[in-house]
Amino acid sequence: MKSAVENLNPTRVRLTVEVPFEELKDSLDAAYKKINQQVTVKGFRKGKIPARVIDQRFGRGAVLEEAVNDALPKFYTEAVNEAELNVLGQPEVDITELKDGETLNFTAEVDVRPAIEIPDYSGIEVEVDAIEVSDEDIEKAVEELRERFASTSPVERAAEEGDVVTLDLEAKVDGEVLEDGVASDVSYTIGSGELLEGIDEAVKGLEAGGETTFTSELKGGSAAGKEAEVTVKVSQVAARELPELDDDFAQLASEFDTLEELRADSRKRLENMKEYDQATQAQERVLEKLLELVEVPVPEKLLEDEINTRKHNLEHHQLGQMGLDLAKYLEIQGKTEEEFDAETKDAAVKGIKTQFVLDELVNKEKLNVNQEELTEHLMRRAASSGMSPDQFAQAVVEGGQVPMLVGEVARGKALAVVVEAATVKDTNGEVVDLDDEDETEGSTESAEVVESEAADADAEDKPEA
């Protein structure tokens, strides 16, 4: 077999392959064997039909077609390996010449990873938010905890803001009660915004036994997006009572003995959260600066597939779970379809560039992923997916996604290398030292940033876990 490579553009090549006919022998033998098992010829046992009889009865062309279909993937792979190409997606194959007994010639056009030159990134500088926790932040956190330990007691008066009311609901569309539009004994805190739009105004002022009707647009269910006439009946009004802010509350709501200890712990927790947010912000901004430094051509077919994948996931998974279609989503977001398409394309381009650049850095820095790093990343992915680590690991293995997870961690380590070399300052002008993070945790946190930027941008097929 002989092959040659022609560069059509920085991200696409054409392979020209010439195969001597004798190299098709194994595939021809396999073709005759396969046809033998599929057909019957009077006078011959199944599987024992001579090749010349198959040629006469069914045509030599059918055998050649079967043999070429069997052989093409092998010869294509050999040509790719011989040229040391890093291909993306499936090739477009064209058989240019097939002479029985002489030769098989074909071409294959396929996208390839572009050659990327990683420049010196040590001069990258970014600014992040300073870590500042105010007394007001602490009091807000303590107040939220206090809200969680609030008690309720029934009252004989009209419902007010902040009260907990027990409701019976019935929704009608075009005068018909919806099958999924009836609910009883629903507990609702007035002002929480957790139910239908307009319900707060409807129930305020009602006492137990009171009833009213209002109009609201349904957000989910069988009639999502439609205007409904909702009848609401209040069966109970209860006032919320907050516990006193004292040492007894601290002992009730935490492992601490005093309110001051609880406040000190709240400060520490808030600082840790802001440190995490600061590190994530640094990683995102360093990545943006790195992408600005590198020229990355994007394969058109890969970009088209990535855009379609992102749209499909949004429409059929995320919006579907919320009972929305794309038109309603765009209306809520206040965007036109053209603006949405432009944003999706920009995100897809950034995702592909992120993967290409960081993969090149993985090779350049010779970064490897150890078992501890992979396990830590798997645990995080499992938590974010709502699955147990064992369930997630099983899904990953069965879906053939282990290489994908290894790639995410490796790219996270590559990003961590760049962040370490960059200068990060907060809004107060102070240099931020991100080296205090645990090495494994730092690389897996970077992997989360990379995953969010390069979501669905893998060139290979990725079965869902």
Side-chain angles (χ1 to χ4, degrees), residues 9 29 34 61 76 79-80 84 90 117 127 133 138 146 200 262 264 287 297 302 309 320 371 413 436 444 447:
N9 60 48
D29 292 343
K34 182 177 180 180
Y76 166 72
V80 166
E84 298 182 343
Q90 299 301 313
E117 193 69 37
E127 184 180 73
V133 177
I138 296 169
R146 188 183 177 205
D200 290 337
L262 174 60
L287 177 59
L302 181 63
T309 298
Q371 187 61 48
K413 294 183 72 171
D436 292 338
T444 50

Side-chain angles (χ1 to χ4, degrees), residues 187-415:
S187 181
Y188 175 67
T189 301
I190 300 176
S192 66
E194 294 174 353
L195 267 180
L196 298 166
E197 186 176 338
I199 195 168
D200 290 337
E201 291 74 15
V203 298
K204 282 181 188 177
L206 293 181
E207 297 184 16
E211 182 177 317
T212 190
T213 299
F214 66 100
T215 301
S216 182
E217 182 180 310
L218 300 178
K219 301 300 182 184
S222 61
K226 294 184 178 180
E227 289 286 330
E229 185 181 77
V230 182
T231 300
V232 56
K233 182 176 181 180
V234 178
S235 58
Q236 178 180 278
V237 178
R240 298 178 75 248
E241 297 177 1
L242 298 175
E244 290 292 328
L245 270 180
D246 53 24
D247 292 346
D248 289 339
F249 168 69
Q251 294 165 22
L252 170 69
S254 70
E255 71 271 28
F256 302 105
D257 294 327
T258 69
L259 186 59
E260 286 310 305
E261 288 177 324
L262 174 60
R263 285 194 170 106
D265 181 70
S266 296
R267 179 181 291 276
K268 183 178 179 181
R269 289 175 183 271
L270 288 171
E271 287 174 347
N272 289 340
M273 288 172 57
K274 287 181 178 289
E275 283 178 2
Y276 180 88
D277 291 343
Q278 187 186 65
T280 301
Q281 192 179 62
Q283 291 157 1
E284 291 172 346
R285 293 183 178 179
V286 167
L287 177 59
E288 289 176 1
K289 290 282 189 179
L290 176 64
L291 294 181
E292 290 174 6
L293 293 176
V294 187
E295 188 69 33
V296 185
V298 176
E300 291 183 11
K301 181 67 168 62
L302 181 63
L303 177 59
E304 179 186 340
D305 291 345
E306 172 66 4
I307 291 172
N308 290 336
T309 298
R310 287 174 182 258
K311 285 185 176 180
H312 177 85
N313 287 343
L314 175 66
E315 291 187 63
H316 295 88
H317 297 294
Q318 300 170 42
L319 297 183
Q321 292 174 358
M322 294 187 288
L324 298 175
D325 58 18
L326 183 59
K328 189 62 184 177
Y329 168 76
L330 294 178
E331 180 184 331
I332 294 171
Q333 294 291 314
K335 296 177 183 176
T336 65
E337 191 169 344
E338 290 74 18
E339 289 172 334
F340 169 74
D341 287 342
E343 289 179 4
T344 303
K345 181 179 179 180
D346 289 344
V349 168
K350 185 177 181 182
I352 292 170
K353 286 184 175 182
T354 295
Q355 181 174 321
F356 284 175
V357 170
L358 294 182
D359 282 347
E360 184 64 28
L361 265 170
V362 169
N363 295 330
K364 180 180 179 181
E365 302 292 345
K366 297 180 173 57
L367 301 175
N368 296 310
V369 176
N370 60 42
Q371 187 61 48
E372 181 184 1
E373 292 164 338
L374 183 59
T375 301
E376 175 70 17
H377 185 56
L378 187 146
M379 298 279 282
R380 288 182 181 235
R381 288 290 303 273
S384 65
S385 69
M387 302 169 69
S388 72
D390 287 344
Q391 289 175 323
F392 188 80
Q394 183 179 354
V396 165
V397 172
E398 291 177 354
Q401 291 182 295
V402 174
M404 183 195 74
L405 255 65
V406 172
E408 288 175 359
V409 178
R411 293 177 200 120
K413 294 183 72 171
L415 177 56

Side-chain angles (χ1 to χ4, degrees), residues 109-120:
E109 288 190 16
V110 65
D111 287 333
V112 294
R113 280 181 179 259
I116 298 174
E117 193 69 37
I118 304 293
D120 179 18

Side-chain angles (χ1 to χ4, degrees), residues 138-182:
I138 296 169
E139 290 309 313
K140 182 181 178 182
V142 172
E143 193 62 28
E144 288 174 353
L145 183 62
R146 188 183 177 205
E147 291 277 349
R148 286 166 50 191
F149 283 85
S151 60
T152 59
S153 56
V155 292
E156 294 183 3
R157 59 166 172 76
E160 301 174 356
E161 184 85 7
D163 285 344
V164 179
V165 288
T166 304
L167 309 173
D168 295 333
L169 298 162
E170 181 184 83
K172 293 181 180 179
V173 173
D174 298 329
E176 296 290 328
V177 178
L178 300 171
E179 289 186 11
D180 55 354
V182 179

